[in-house]
C-alpha cells in the first residue's frame, strides 16, 4: 500500500542526491530541487525544476527530501527557512546520515508545525543510487513510513526499522561494521601478500568461505586491486559515521572497545589521506604506512 506522490521538494544535489533525483524523475515524480552550490540545480534542469532556496523547494510539496552531509547542515537548512515553509501534513524525509538523538529532537520541532519528520538514510553508494538499488532504512511513525514506501521504492529497497531516529541509528551502526570489515580485510590481504599469496586468489577463496563481506566481494576487487579507489564515499564521511555510531553506543552504555579502536585507526588514516580521499584508500594507507604509525 502507500501513497503515490507525484511531486517532491529535494534539497541536496551532490554525488548521492543527483542520481536519486534521476530515479524519482524516471518514476514520474516532478522534483523541485535546490542545492547550496551555485548552478548545481540549474545543471539538472532536465530532471527537476531548479529552486532558489530550500524553502522555495518545499512550498506546496507534500514530501520534502533532504540529502545533506550531517545533522549540523540539516538543522541549518531547516532553521534557515525550510521549517516555516512546511505546510501541515508535509512529510520531511531526512535521507542524510544524521545523528539519531538530534533527529529525535528535530522531529519534535517539525511536529510543532503539524508536519512529520521521517529519517530514511541509505546504503549502497553512488552505484546503488544510480541503479535504484539502495537499502533505505526508515525510522518514523508506521503510517508515515507506509505512505512513503512507494516513493522511496523508486530509489531502492525500503525497510522500516523502527520509530523516529531508528534509521539514522542503524545506518551509523551499519557503517561501523563496514569500516571494521574493510580494516580487517585489508590487514588480512596485506599479510597474505607479504607471505606470497595473490590478492585475487585470496579474495576468490574468501568469498566462498566464512570470512567474506562486502569488502571482499566488492570493495577490494572493484576499487582496491585495480587501484582506482572510486567508490564515491569519502574517508571523512566514514569517520563522521563512526563517531555517530560510537556516540550512540556511549549514550546507551553499550560495549564499544572495538568501535573505539576502529575510529582511532580511521582517524589516523584521514589525517594522512585527507577527508576527501575515497574511503577504500585506507588499504593504500595501511600498505604504505609503517606499523608504528598505524
Amino acid at each position: 500500500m502507500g501513497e503515490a506522490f507525484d511531486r517532491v521538494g529535494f534539497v541536496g544535489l551532490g554525488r548521492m542526491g543527483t542520481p536519486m533525483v534521476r530515479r524519482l524523475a524516471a518514476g514520474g515524480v516532478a522534483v523541485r530541487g535546490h542545492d547550496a552550490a551555485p548552478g548545481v540545480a540549474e545543471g539538472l534542469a532536465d530532471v527537476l525544476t531548479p529552486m532558489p532556496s530550500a524553502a522555495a523547494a518545499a512550498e506546496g510539496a507534500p514530501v520534502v527530501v533532504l540529502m545533506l552531509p550531517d545533522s549540523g547542515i540539516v538543522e541549518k537548512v531547516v532553521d534557515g527557512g525550510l521549517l516555516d515553509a512546511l505546510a501541515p501534513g508535509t512529510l520531511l524525509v531526512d535521507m542524510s546520515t544524521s545523528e539519531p538523538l538530534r533527529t529525535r529532537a528535530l522531529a519534535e520541532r517539525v511536529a510543532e508545525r503539524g508536519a512529520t519528520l521521517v529519517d530514511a538514510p541509505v546504503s549502497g553508494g553512488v552505484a546503488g543510487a544510480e541503479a535504484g538499488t539502495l537499502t533505505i532504512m526508515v525510522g518514523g511513525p508506521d503510517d508515515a513510513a507506509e505512505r512513503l514506501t512507494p516513493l522511496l521504492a523508486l530509489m531502492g529497497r525500503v525497510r522500516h526499522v523502527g520509530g523516529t531516529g531508528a534509521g539514522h541509528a542503524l545506518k551509523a551502526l551499519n557503517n561501523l561494521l563496514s569500516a571494521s570489515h574493510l580494516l580487517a580485510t585489508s590487514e588480512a590481504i596485506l599479510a597474505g601478500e607479504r607471505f606470497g599469496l595473490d590478492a585475487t586468489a585470496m579474495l576468490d577463496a574468501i568469498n566462498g568461505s566464512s570470512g567474506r563481506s562486502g569488502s571482499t566481494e566488492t570493495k577490494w576487487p572493484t576499487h582496491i586491486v585495480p587501484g582506482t579507489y572510486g567508490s564515491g564515499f569519502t574517508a571523512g564521511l566514514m569517520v563522521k559515521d563512526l563517531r555517530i555510531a560510537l556516540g550512540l553506543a556511549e549514550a546507551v552504555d553499550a560495549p564499544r572497545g572495538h568501535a573505539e579502536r576502529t575510529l582511532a585507526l580511521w582517524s589516523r588514516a584521514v589525517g594522512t589521506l585527507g577527508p576527501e580521499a575515497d574511503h577504500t584508500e585506507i588499504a593504500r594507507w595501511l600498505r604504505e604506512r609503517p606499523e608504528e604509525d598505524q
Side-chain angles (χ1 to χ4, degrees):
M1 300 295 289
E3 193 167 338
F5 294 103
D6 61 357
R7 65 193 189 283
V8 303
F10 201 107
V11 181
L13 305 170
R15 282 181 286 192
M16 291 293 292
T18 291
M20 290 165 70
V21 163
R22 292 192 180 280
R23 298 298 305 186
L24 291 174
V29 178
V31 180
R32 293 153 55 97
H34 171 73
D35 193 273
V40 171
E42 289 74 12
L44 295 170
D46 60 321
V47 291
L48 58 75
T49 301
M51 304 305 292
S53 66
E59 289 177 3
V63 177
V64 179
V65 176
L66 306 179
M67 191 62 183
L68 300 166
D70 55 45
S71 285
I73 295 176
V74 167
E75 291 165 0
K76 181 178 179 180
V77 168
V78 170
D79 291 333
L82 177 59
L83 185 61
D84 293 335
L86 297 178
T90 303
L91 296 174
L92 179 62
V93 187
D94 184 10
M95 302 189 77
S96 322
T97 302
S98 300
E99 300 171 44
L101 296 179
R102 292 173 74 171
T103 296
R104 287 182 174 177
L106 182 60
E108 293 179 1
R109 294 203 289 125
V110 170
E112 292 173 359
R113 300 286 306 181
T116 300
L117 176 67
V118 174
D119 48 303
V122 303
S123 182
V126 174
E130 291 173 343
T133 57
L134 295 169
T135 295
I136 304 173
M137 308 170 204
V138 179
D142 291 348
D143 59 339
E146 182 178 351
R147 290 177 62 200
L148 284 166
T149 294
L151 179 74
L152 297 177
L154 296 174
M155 296 178 281
R157 184 177 69 115
V158 183
R159 294 292 182 269
H160 184 205
V161 298
T164 304
H168 284 151
L170 183 55
K171 171 60 188 295
L173 296 171
N174 174 79
N175 278 15
L176 168 60
L177 290 172
S178 177
S180 300
H181 295 162
L182 184 53
L183 264 177
T185 297
S186 297
E187 289 185 353
I189 297 298
L190 293 174
E193 286 183 334
R194 292 186 183 185
F195 181 76
L197 294 168
D198 175 74
T200 300
M202 281 189 282
L203 291 166
D204 180 63
I206 290 168
N207 285 333
S209 305
S210 59
R212 67 185 179 277
S213 68
S215 294
T216 63
E217 292 175 338
T218 302
K219 295 179 184 182
W220 257 85
T222 305
H223 305 295
I224 298 171
V225 170
T228 52
Y229 304 108
S231 76
F233 184 70
T234 69
L237 287 176
M238 183 64 87
V239 167
K240 181 209 72 171
D241 294 351
L242 286 170
R243 287 182 176 137
I244 294 173
L246 183 56
L248 176 63
E250 291 171 346
V252 300
D253 196 25
R256 51 191 180 272
H258 180 81
E260 289 170 348
R261 177 60 174 159
T262 300
L263 174 58
L265 282 168
W266 274 93
S267 296
R268 289 186 186 181
V270 168
T272 301
L273 297 169
E276 294 304 313
D278 193 87
H279 81 288
T280 57
E281 290 189 62
I282 196 168
R284 180 170 65 82
W285 176 77
L286 287 168
R287 177 179 280 121
E288 296 174 357
R289 298 292 288 178
E291 182 62 30
E292 59 268 21
D293 289 344
Q294 298 176 22

